[in-house]
Amino acid sequence: QDPTAAHYMFQDDPFLMPRNAANSRLFSLSKESGRNAAKYIIKQFPQYFDKTFSEPNIPCLMPDTLTPQIEGVSEEALKERIHLRRVKDSVDLFDQLIQAGTPVSLETTNSLLDLLCFYGDGESTPEKEEEEKEDLEEPGVNASEEKAPKRQLQRGSQSSGPRWRENNNAERIFKIMPERNAYSYCTMIRGMVKHGAHAKAYDMYVDLLNERHKADVHTFNALIAAVPYVKERFVERWELAKVFLNHMAQQEVQPNLLTFNALLKTLRRCGGVGRSMSLLVIKEMEALDIEPSLATYDHLLFMFYRGVDLCPSGIISEVLDDVEKRSFTAQDPDDGMDFNTLDNLHCLSCCDLKDIKLAYRLNKVMEKGDNWKFLNMDRLNAYWSKFFSLLCMMEQIDVVLKWYKEMSPSLFYPAPKNILDLLQALDAANHLEAIPSVWEADMKQLGFSRRRDLLEELLSLMSREQHPEEIQLEFAKCAEDIKAVYEQTGREQVPLDWTASALHHVTLLFSRAGRTQDAWYVKMMERFQQINRIPTDQVMDEFLTCAKRTNCPDEAVKVVKLAASLGLPSSQRLKSRTEKEFELSEEQK
């Protein structure tokens, strides 16, 4: 892998190679938006995409046939429209069949219920890849009996899809069905849970039991996931979840991975009860020989690592022991959520535990097989950003620079905080001679040259101490670039205002490099008066030393005049030093 290359998705168009994380996000979203726009055009105007002249003909690359081919009012036409996911057309055709007295088979009606329950009675659209994460926050005190706030429940139950309307088409068709089987009830239950009608789903399950039907495992999974929205007290939630588990045993329904993940997801909202029961759930999974997915570990870590005060250190090591043995594949929709196990583990090892060994172990897990695919581009960039911040904090500078060279920009685009961490690591290791390369190769290339906090930190580190002449000349070049940034004016750029500290640092750097004219004639010293700031004694002394080294008595006299005009206490001392160290003409005296 070429560490200097951008992500493969950008290599088709070198002009759009991103320079930083913001550009990377914008360009990747633009490409995806273009794909969605193309799909929309094909769907809206299928008549323009019906030519298949390609040679050789590759069916998987051809546009799908989205136009109904069967005309008239018949069950076959209804099946076709259901297959094409045309919700409104399917409902209209079903109503026409019923009005005409044509019976519709139970299988076809169930397929129509599937369509309506999946799309929530709305027209089919390209599904969002990431749904809004439920707010799984829990109150922190007396968790076994504390009530969860209703406002919080309502917020958590919101989904990105349409809500379940009262007496919608799914309910209407279900009521007029002459015959209903277990599949009909299960479909309705899952649709109600999916679209937020949790209480109705529970009532529908009671009707299913009254009709002496049995639910399937997917229905039980949906009911267990809906428990937090049906009961308020944490103990009541756990009791209802146990009722569903007992019903599964009575109906001889074998639980699967999604069952246990739904149960753990519910336990996340059961406070202390959830923490105490979660380990029993994991043991039950082991007894049934069901391997956990990333979502399983995510739910477990969430319950045990809500804060620094809840840190049973054994859990994270045990989770990591299991995770690093495996290469994961997606088995649960929550495996790909933003707050997944890889990111949670790294947050813990970086932010809370400060454990570099854990971070290295986790990094090996992330690079194993296709595990990295569980992190989208934003989360992958955030992962590497946290990893690099931990390296800057805990590792030797040679190791930090080696990782940085391999990571940027192929794996991540450094954020301003990463550059700040790198500067602080260079400072801690007394490796400040590398600062000019950071300025040239990173800050300017990444578009951070106008970040005031980074500029102040950079200037502060370069001007804090005296360095060998070679390094001072390099620092002066950086100072010249930064001065140009402050003085840069453009139609689309807001000029940066000079601060006293920035003027102080730039003047010192010019003075130490022997660039007297830059320090004075480019109005660095004069600018102190323009912005109503007073130069420090260090600035005045350094400038006077520079004037002496370059034999510029005129500049020395100007410094004394400036100090006198500003009424500085050091003006008399500067005057005496100038008379002693310079050969002055009568006029200068």
Side-chain angles (χ1 to χ4, degrees), residues 318-577:
E318 291 178 19
V319 168
L320 200 51
D321 288 340
D322 287 343
V323 168
E324 63 186 352
K325 297 174 186 175
R326 303 172 53 193
S327 176
F328 289 89
T329 56
Q331 303 176 71
D332 186 312
D334 286 343
D335 284 348
M337 296 299 284
D338 283 348
F339 299 99
N340 52 55
T341 305
L342 293 176
D343 199 45
N344 273 347
L345 280 169
H346 208 278
C347 283
L348 292 167
S349 57
C350 284
C351 304
D352 295 337
L353 304 181
K354 303 292 189 296
D355 192 330
I356 190 67
K357 292 182 179 179
L358 272 180
Y360 279 132
R361 287 177 64 190
L362 178 61
N363 193 60
K364 286 184 179 179
V365 172
M366 199 275 294
E367 293 180 332
K368 185 176 181 179
D370 291 335
N371 289 347
W372 61 273
K373 292 182 178 179
F374 286 96
L375 295 172
N376 61 28
M377 177 161 288
D378 287 342
R379 301 305 299 177
L380 199 60
N381 203 68
Y383 168 87
W384 285 113
S385 178
K386 294 170 187 173
F387 182 68
F388 182 70
S389 293
L390 185 64
L391 287 174
C392 292
M393 190 188 310
M394 308 297 292
E395 274 289 10
Q396 299 293 326
I397 190 62
D398 293 339
V399 178
V400 173
L401 294 176
K402 176 178 177 294
W403 274 98
Y404 186 71
K405 185 177 179 181
E406 294 175 355
M407 291 161 61
S408 174
S410 60
L411 296 178
F412 88 117
Y413 293 93
K417 182 183 183 305
N418 297 129
I419 300 297
L420 203 58
D421 291 336
L422 178 60
L423 291 175
Q424 291 170 356
L426 292 172
D427 181 25
N430 197 23
H431 202 60
L432 298 181
E433 64 274 9
I435 285 182
S437 65
V438 174
W439 165 253
E440 287 290 337
D442 298 305
M443 291 181 62
K444 289 171 71 174
Q445 292 298 323
L446 293 169
F448 298 153
S449 58
R450 293 177 62 84
R451 293 277 306 200
R452 190 185 298 276
D453 54 341
L454 292 180
L455 294 179
E456 294 278 356
E457 181 70 17
L458 196 75
L459 290 171
S460 173
L461 292 176
M462 290 191 297
S463 64
R464 191 176 59 197
E465 299 172 353
Q466 184 78 35
H467 296 274
E469 183 178 357
E470 229 177 87
I471 297 176
Q472 286 298 160
L473 291 174
E474 292 295 322
F475 285 176
K477 288 181 182 177
C478 292
E480 185 176 9
D481 288 345
I482 293 173
K483 181 181 73 67
V485 169
Y486 273 97
E487 296 177 348
Q488 186 177 10
T489 56
R491 297 175 64 181
E492 299 180 358
Q493 291 179 332
V494 178
L496 292 176
D497 294 328
W498 281 101
T499 62
S501 58
L503 276 175
H504 170 92
H505 299 318
V506 171
T507 306
L508 282 180
L509 292 170
F510 281 149
S511 300
R512 288 173 182 171
R515 296 174 60 166
T516 314
Q517 294 185 351
D518 287 330
W520 183 275
Y521 287 121
V522 191
K523 297 184 179 180
M524 295 311 299
M525 291 292 289
E526 293 178 354
R527 201 176 292 274
F528 278 102
Q529 285 181 304
Q530 295 176 5
I531 65 172
N532 296 321
R533 298 292 187 272
I534 297 177
T536 63
D537 290 346
Q538 183 187 12
V539 171
M540 308 295 270
D541 289 333
E542 292 273 3
F543 184 83
L544 206 59
T545 301
C546 176
K548 178 184 177 182
R549 190 165 67 246
T550 56
N551 193 23
C552 296
D554 290 340
E555 275 63 48
V557 172
K558 289 179 180 178
V559 168
V560 175
K561 289 181 178 179
L562 178 63
S565 66
L566 294 174
L568 299 181
S570 59
S571 58
Q572 191 61 40
R573 177 176 58 80
L574 292 172
K575 177 184 175 183
S576 302
R577 183 182 168 190

Side-chain angles (χ1 to χ4, degrees), residues 48-160:
Y48 300 123
F49 301 94
D50 56 357
K51 304 295 188 292
T52 55
F53 295 146
S54 58
E55 190 63 39
N57 184 24
I58 305 175
C60 65
L61 299 181
M62 293 295 106
D64 294 331
T65 302
L66 301 176
T67 306
Q69 304 297 315
I70 303 176
E71 299 294 338
V73 180
S74 66
E75 186 169 340
E76 290 303 317
L78 175 59
K79 288 180 180 179
E80 182 188 39
R81 281 154 182 77
I82 293 173
H83 177 71
L84 294 176
R85 301 185 182 186
R86 301 173 76 98
V87 179
K88 187 176 184 302
D89 290 347
S90 299
V91 172
D92 291 343
L93 191 53
F94 177 84
D95 289 340
Q96 291 175 28
L97 288 169
I98 296 300
Q99 290 170 6
T102 306
V104 181
S105 68
L106 177 61
E107 181 183 356
T108 303
T109 309
N110 283 341
S111 297
L112 180 57
L113 284 180
D114 278 336
L115 184 69
L116 293 173
C117 290
F118 185 81
Y119 288 110
D121 211 21
E123 197 59 45
S124 63
T125 57
E127 289 185 353
K128 295 181 180 179
E129 290 187 0
E130 294 182 7
E131 292 186 356
E132 184 178 342
K133 181 77 171 179
E134 290 183 355
D135 184 4
L136 297 176
E137 298 299 322
E138 67 183 42
V141 294
N142 294 330
S144 61
E145 289 296 329
E146 186 71 23
K147 281 190 176 181
K150 291 184 179 179
R151 183 179 61 179
Q152 180 182 345
L153 276 176
Q154 291 167 357
R155 180 184 172 189
S157 63
Q158 294 295 322
S159 69
S160 57

